[in-house]
């Protein structure tokens, strides 16, 4: 997925979370939202041409060199590491970061390329091949998510 689709998926998941009545879900606050949107882009820091990779070039080149794109940053180990960070610093920001990160990995899991969920134990890429990055299905998903977000956030404004 392109960064725009990942960011939109993060916003859509965030909106869904804010609207859900699940008691076990943390409250969606502004800090949680900032963390979630950052987390929805963070895994692609391992690709130096990605939106976030271009903003963190040194980190991006190092991660790309060591792990390659969709390597360790796209694994359950990375999620466990972030969960550990959240346990050490149980803040709204870290909770949101973990949430957005998981949304990103779920989106990439549904791509043709998949992700190495069990890295470093296995390099096998898990996938539910629903779309190709940059393909028409991704653009369709982006349009549907933007339409839904527009409906929820803009159409609900009191003056409309
Ligand atoms: Zn990714």
């Amino acid at each position: 997925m392109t960064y725009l689709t990942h960011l939109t998926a993060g916003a859509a998941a965030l909106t869904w979370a804010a609207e859900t009545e699940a008691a076990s879900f943390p409250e969606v606050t502004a800090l949680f939202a900032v963390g979630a949107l950052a987390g929805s882009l963070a895994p692609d820091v391992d690709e130096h041409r990605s939106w976030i990779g271009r903003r963190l070039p040194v980190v991006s080149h190092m991660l790309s060199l060591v792990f390659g794109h969709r390597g360790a940053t796209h694994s359950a180990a990375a999620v466990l590491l972030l969960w550990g960070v959240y346990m050490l610093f149980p803040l709204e920001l870290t909770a949101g970061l973990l949430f957005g990160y998981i949304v990103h990995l779920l989106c990439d899991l549904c791509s043709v390329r998949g992700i190495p969920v069990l890295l470093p134990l296995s390099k096998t890429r898990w996938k539910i091949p629903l779309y190709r990055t940059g393909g028409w299905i991704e653009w369709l998903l982006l349009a549907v998510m933007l339409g839904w977000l527009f409906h929820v956030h803009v159409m609900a404004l009191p003056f409309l």
Side-chain angles (χ1 to χ4, degrees):
M1 272 186 173
T2 64
Y3 90 95
L4 184 61
T5 315
H6 273 303
L7 198 59
T8 305
L14 196 56
T15 298
W16 169 81
E19 302 235 327
T20 189
E21 297 293 325
S24 61
F25 202 84
E27 185 182 352
V28 175
T29 61
L31 276 176
F32 185 92
V34 167
L37 293 177
S40 71
L41 297 175
D44 284 345
V45 73
D46 65 1
E47 167 54 59
H48 65 276
R49 291 170 300 177
S50 70
W51 186 88
I52 194 164
R54 284 182 274 132
R55 272 123 193 106
L56 301 167
V58 175
V59 174
S60 180
H61 276 284
M62 286 174 52
L63 287 172
S64 179
L65 201 64
V66 176
F67 300 113
H69 181 44
R70 289 202 185 186
T73 62
H74 287 69
S75 68
V79 173
L80 283 175
L81 185 68
L82 258 183
W83 180 76
V85 169
Y86 170 67
M87 295 311 283
L88 286 173
F89 306 100
L91 308 169
E92 293 167 359
L93 189 67
T94 52
L97 195 63
L98 182 60
F99 176 80
Y101 204 96
I102 292 170
V103 170
H104 181 112
L105 295 192
L106 289 174
C107 288
D108 281 355
L109 178 72
C110 293
S111 72
V112 170
R113 191 168 177 201
I115 57 172
V117 173
L118 296 180
L119 206 69
L121 300 175
S122 168
K123 289 183 176 179
T124 302
R125 289 180 177 269
W126 294 25
K127 57 184 131 185
I128 303 167
L130 299 178
Y131 72 91
R132 188 176 305 279
T133 298
W136 69 271
I137 294 176
E138 179 180 344
W139 291 109
L140 179 66
L141 288 170
L142 177 62
V144 168
M145 289 188 292
L146 285 173
W148 183 67
L149 287 171
F150 182 82
H151 173 75
V152 170
H153 294 291
V154 178
M155 297 306 283
L157 293 174
F159 52 85
L160 290 177

